[in-house]
Amino acid sequence: MSRLLRFLMWLLLTALVVWVVVIGYWKIVGVRPDVRALVLYLGVLPLGTFAVLALLKHGLANARSKASNAQADSLDAAGDDAATGGDAPAGEPATPVGILASAMQLPAGSDVASVLGAIGTPAAPQLHQKLKDGSGYPVFASWIDDVDTDAVMQAFEAAGGKDADIRRLPEEQLRAFGLMLPVTQDLLAEVVAEDWLAAPLPSVSGGRSTAPPPARLQASILLPSDWPSAIRELAVAWFVEEARAAGILAGQLVAEVIPASGSDEVWRHLSKIALPSSPPSPAPVLHLVLACHSQLGERSVQRLDQAGQLLSAMRSEGIVPGEGAAGVLLLAADADGGFALPPKAVLRAHATMRQGVSWQPRTAVQQMEDLFGQVLARAPGATSDEVKAMVSDADLRKSRATAVAGFMDRALEHLDPESDCMATGSSCGHAGIVSPLSLIALAAERAAANDQPVLAVAVAEPDQRTIALVSPPESPAADETAESSSNPQAT
């Protein structure tokens, strides 16, 4: 409907311009047109002018498309040497990170298991009843019903926030915190229930009993970088209060807010967790990483529309505004590759491409294959055949769906597209900085449930893409078998 209206508006504008020029010319030279002249100059001429302009526009579009394809072919031939990989050299083994627990709130479900089941049969986004674009039309969006923003304001007040400042917060920020509140509470409750911060039993050495220090909880709260600094301070106070209410002592907790402009900052933070601490910590450090985001507000929709990024009938490569929150509890491996606590799954390696990213189909697939090769190189012993499922954040954009499908067809052809390949984008929209954590959580849930490695593929951002390998933890029996095979003894 909007395309037809746009067509009629351009036709009318062209006719008006021609009519003004012709009638003005007739008045200047004193021409008295007959019926034939009226039909020819006020009817046929505007239609002909409009047809010529339409053909010129179509020709220019084809020329630009051919130039883009030629550039893509040249990148293919060159092997795309300009593209760079992850956060470490491709051949350097990555430090595994254990995934102890996860939680999420997304339009597809209120926990990891329900979201994983829902994205197997994704639902299309719906038109939002209140949010409109610049032309006054409803926008497609993915949202969560009944977000409890009142509970957020009460929690902020309990953390020492001023009532006037809290009520001035935009709707998007209140909704985002309303989604992160249950995620945070669930993960903190699991930390306490599993007794992960309890002091270990004392060890006896040289007749002396020494008690190792208890584990510490390092909380990282990732918020959109365009949010004001005042809300970051309030977020730290709010989290400390939630941890105290859960029963976690202040001395066992360190909390910080990390502003993130996009998913790249989230992946970089996950890379830092795998790095050994300096100086080495005598006690295990549990990393609680949280992120929330919401684009379900007039301000966010207006920004997307003005930037030409909003999905519409005329903009098929636009995004669907979404919202959500996710959190993962992580534990870096020790020097021997083991974990102080048993994880449910292991993030073995990931790699990110940040330069030369192309969404031309052939180039995109080749770049994803190269990126996957870097992941396998950083995960010793890993092969493409052992990957038994893939979860991505591909959405309704044809470029993303084509890239993911082409990559699966060439690198993971043994997977079943119906049962082994899932995507969050169609059901959840664009989740922003929440997407990396939700992909890791979903991959860990699938890996733990089926005891098979899963690939997490992030393609939602325009200028980067990331691939991560998540595997089930190795069983003690497997470790003993591997050790005995590598160290045979003579009988």
Side-chain angles (χ1 to χ4, degrees):
M1 187 63 181
S2 61
R3 182 176 296 181
L4 177 61
L5 290 175
R6 189 184 295 271
F7 174 82
L8 293 176
M9 287 176 60
W10 279 108
L11 178 59
L12 179 60
L13 180 61
T14 304
L16 287 174
V17 172
V18 174
W19 290 344
V20 169
V21 173
V22 171
I23 294 175
Y25 174 77
W26 282 345
K27 285 188 175 182
I28 292 174
V29 300
V31 175
R32 299 176 60 87
D34 54 12
V35 176
R36 180 175 177 275
L38 290 173
V39 173
L40 179 62
Y41 290 102
L42 300 185
V44 177
L45 182 60
L47 291 176
T49 303
F50 180 79
V52 170
L53 292 175
L55 289 175
L56 286 174
K57 180 182 177 182
H58 183 69
L60 290 175
N62 285 340
R64 284 194 294 265
S65 177
K66 290 180 179 178
S68 299
N69 290 334
Q71 183 181 9
D73 292 340
S74 64
L75 286 174
D76 278 334
D80 196 24
D81 293 334
T84 60
D87 302 316
E92 180 180 338
T95 301
V97 176
I99 305 170
L100 300 177
S102 60
M104 64 176 58
Q105 290 274 333
L106 292 176
S110 58
D111 59 74
V112 182
S114 63
V115 172
L116 191 61
I119 62 176
T121 54
Q126 300 177 348
L127 291 173
H128 200 275
Q129 296 179 353
K130 297 181 180 180
L131 298 177
K132 313 288 183 182
D133 62 12
S135 302
Y137 294 107
V139 302
F140 286 101
S142 296
W143 66 92
I144 299 174
D145 294 321
D146 304 325
V147 178
D148 193 355
T149 55
D150 291 336
V152 175
M153 291 190 287
Q154 294 174 3
F156 282 169
E157 290 178 0
K162 297 181 180 179
D163 181 72
D165 295 337
I166 296 172
R167 295 188 181 279
R168 282 198 297 265
L169 293 175
E171 181 182 4
E172 298 100 310
Q173 296 176 13
L174 286 175
R175 291 183 64 89
F177 273 105
L179 298 174
M180 189 163 65
L181 180 60
V183 170
T184 303
Q185 291 174 340
D186 289 347
L187 288 173
L188 290 176
E190 189 163 358
V191 169
V192 174
E194 296 291 339
D195 214 17
W196 282 329
L197 296 180
L201 295 175
S203 59
V204 179
S205 177
R208 294 183 177 182
S209 177
T210 58
R216 295 186 296 108
L217 182 64
Q218 171 73 50
S220 302
I221 307 169
L222 292 126
L223 300 179
S225 58
D226 57 353
W227 288 11
S229 57
I231 199 172
R232 300 173 195 166
E233 299 174 0
L234 186 58
V236 172
W238 158 78
F239 180 84
V240 171
E241 180 62 24
E242 291 293 333
R244 186 198 63 79
I248 298 176
L249 301 177
Q252 296 178 296
L253 173 68
V254 177
E256 64 173 343
V257 169
I258 301 175
S261 60
S263 298
D264 188 36
E265 282 88 344
V266 184
W267 291 111
R268 288 182 186 273
H269 184 68
L270 295 178
S271 298
K272 292 178 181 178
I273 292 176
L275 298 177
S277 59
S278 180
S281 174
V285 179
L286 276 63
H287 294 269
L288 177 56
V289 186
L290 299 164
C292 66
H293 188 54
S294 178
Q295 296 172 321
L296 271 294
E298 294 181 1
R299 180 180 301 182
S300 296
V301 170
Q302 183 181 13
R303 183 168 59 246
L304 290 172
D305 190 28
Q306 292 176 351
Q309 299 176 348
L310 194 63
L311 176 70
S312 67
M314 302 298 295
R315 196 181 295 129
S316 60
E317 283 294 302
I319 65 174
V320 175
E323 61 182 354
V328 291
L329 192 64
L330 306 175
L331 178 64
D334 55 29
D336 298 327
F339 297 98
L341 297 170
K344 66 181 294 184
V346 177
L347 174 59
R348 296 182 61 185
H350 72 274
T352 299
M353 181 177 186
R354 300 183 176 93
Q355 297 180 10
V357 176
S358 172
W359 293 107
Q360 293 294 327
R362 286 186 295 174
T363 309
V365 172
Q366 183 60 55
Q367 290 178 346
M368 292 178 71
E369 282 191 280
D370 295 341
L371 197 61
F372 183 37
Q374 295 180 25
V375 174
L376 295 179
R378 300 189 63 204
T383 63
S384 60
D385 293 337
E386 73 179 27
V387 176
K388 301 302 180 183
M390 178 176 67
V391 57
S392 75
D393 56 4
D395 49 28
L396 299 178
R397 289 173 288 182
K398 182 180 178 181
S399 60
R400 275 38 174 197
T402 302
V404 171
F407 166 69
M408 186 206 69
D409 186 56
R410 290 179 56 172
L412 302 170
E413 58 183 356
H414 57 282
L415 298 186
D416 183 353
E418 298 294 331
S419 60
D420 299 331
C421 301
M422 299 148 286
T424 62
S426 298
S427 301
C428 302
H430 189 265
I433 61 175
V434 178
S435 183
L437 299 186
S438 62
L439 288 178
I440 294 298
L442 292 168
E445 183 74 16
R446 175 70 181 242
N450 293 3
D451 198 29
Q452 295 173 333
V454 178
L455 210 62
V457 180
V459 294
E461 300 299 330
D463 53 358
Q464 71 157 76
R465 62 173 67 96
T466 300
I467 295 180
L469 178 62
V470 179
S471 301
E474 294 185 2
S475 63
D479 293 340
E480 292 175 2
T481 303
E483 184 178 355
S484 62
S485 62
S486 60
N487 298 295
Q489 296 180 356
T491 57

